[in-house]
Amino acid sequence: MMLREPEYIIEINEKMMDLQGIIDDAGDSLVSNLEERPDNLKDVLTERCKEAQVSEELIIEMSVGALIRYQPFASDLRALTVAMKVAYDLSRVCRYIRNIGEVMEDLGVDARSEPDVLSLIKDARTMVGIALEAYFSKDAKLAMRVIKDDDYIDDRYRTILRKYAVRRDLPGSVMLFIGITARIAERMADHAVYISQEVIYLTTGRREGYR
Amino acid sequence: MGADVELDVLSLNAWFGEKQALKNINIQIPRRTVTAVIGPSGCGKSTFIRCMNRMHELIPGARVAGKVLLGGEDIYTEMDAMDVRRKVGMVFQKPNPFPNMSVEDNVVAGLKLSGGYKKGELGRIAEKNLRAVGLWDEVKDELKKSGASLSGGQQQRLCIARALAMEPEVILMDEPTSALDPASTAKIEELVQKLKAYATIIIITHNVQQAARVSDMTCFFYLGEVVEFDNTKALFEAPKNPLTERYITGRFG
């Protein structure tokens, strides 16, 4: 049953969309840098992360304020607790994106020659995007699809590790870059799963798995 | 009936004349818990708790069908009505101390009526129950004053002490804080939690936040039927019935 949402939840979700925009910007900056290698990536991503953190704190503040003021129950209560967790997850995803940019700049690696990692990062971003789509549309089936896709990302991550563990022709910096960024991408996908688990709780009241 | 069930309500129906107020109620109230009864006005909440101590039958034209087992005995066919009301005490919306009695006499009024107690013994019982409701320190120097001289919140706690003095197995509370200020309400809510050490509590409230604060179980009534009966956390976090969801989120009607 879909009930009309109270105004305070609509306002919180508008802020969540702003936060999604920040994460998308950060992700776009990262991917275009991975592909084109322009300068000042770290600065750009650090700025996006600050904005994401401010946005996360605003969502938490609004949610706590609504809990105090309205003392909501049932789907309204779940909407607020889920909003706080999703805001945290998105902020965390932004920091992961920054981490990848930092690793790339610190190691001076040209990521264009490492398509495996590049596509893993893109897939993890896609999972986050679908998880958010499920959140905004309260679509438990879509959220469940993200949870199932996590196995695919985990397999890809392990495949990359196995593939590069035996390579002797690559410099250490490239090996480090691949190992670290593949792991970070896999963690980004985990947060897409966490968001999806929250969507299932939001829509059904049941917990699907644990963080 | 399980050992942990205080009241077993089986196919309970109640009428006021031709109008059916309760329809086929089947619930089990666990022993030594607080059960909140919620629902919109006219849904049958008060009728329900009045059926739990046979007060419904006192209304002209009212009747009851079905069973209410207290400790395994049907209160309608196997117990005397007075015995039921001794074992199932009641606290009303507005505090109703006996105005012509002292604070102390108010507490032990029921025991005096049943007889067999010595004066010193009644004094000790009054003190014990005034302590149980957190009123002793406030009234110990005014025990001979009229119960009506206390504040509204103190009067309500006095009425609870009076119910408690009968050592009931169940205490029914019909919106016990609706006439009280926030501070007195908070004291009663705190007290309700403590009272379950002594008796099973069933409390009617229109305030869903209060139901969530004070109860272990919550029962949602609508149009004379039980829509949902579950532990309070489950019912307020993820109700199973859409009607419950609409009521507790304030989207009713």
Side-chain angles (χ1 to χ4, degrees), chain A residues 4 6 71 74-76 78 201, chain B residues 209 236-238 245 249 251:
Chain A
R4 191 179 58 78
Q71 298 175 33
S75 54
D76 297 345
R78 299 199 302 273
Y201 171 68
Chain B
Q209 279 80 13
F236 281 99
E237 187 183 11
E245 169 97 22
T249 56
R251 295 176 179 92

Side-chain angles (χ1 to χ4, degrees), chain B residues 83-94:
Chain B
D83 195 30
V84 170
R85 287 175 205 137
R86 195 191 64 72
K87 287 183 173 176
V88 184
M90 190 145 185
V91 176
F92 296 89
Q93 194 169 352
K94 284 186 182 166

Side-chain angles (χ1 to χ4, degrees), chain A residues 5 9 12 63 74-84 135 202:
Chain A
E5 284 183 323
I9 292 175
I12 286 167
S63 301
S75 54
D76 297 345
L77 173 64
R78 299 199 302 273
L80 294 179
T81 59
V82 166
M84 288 192 275
Y135 170 76
L202 173 66

Side-chain angles (χ1 to χ4, degrees), chain B residues 4 11-12 19 29 37 42 68 70 74 76 89 96-97 99 106 110 116 129 137 149 171-172 184 193 197 247:
Chain B
D4 55 349
S11 305
L12 183 70
K19 188 181 182 313
I29 309 278
V37 180
V68 177
L70 174 64
D74 186 357
Y76 285 97
N96 58 347
N106 256 285
N129 288 290
D137 288 338
S149 68
I171 298 177
L172 309 171
S184 301
Q193 279 297 311
Y247 181 72

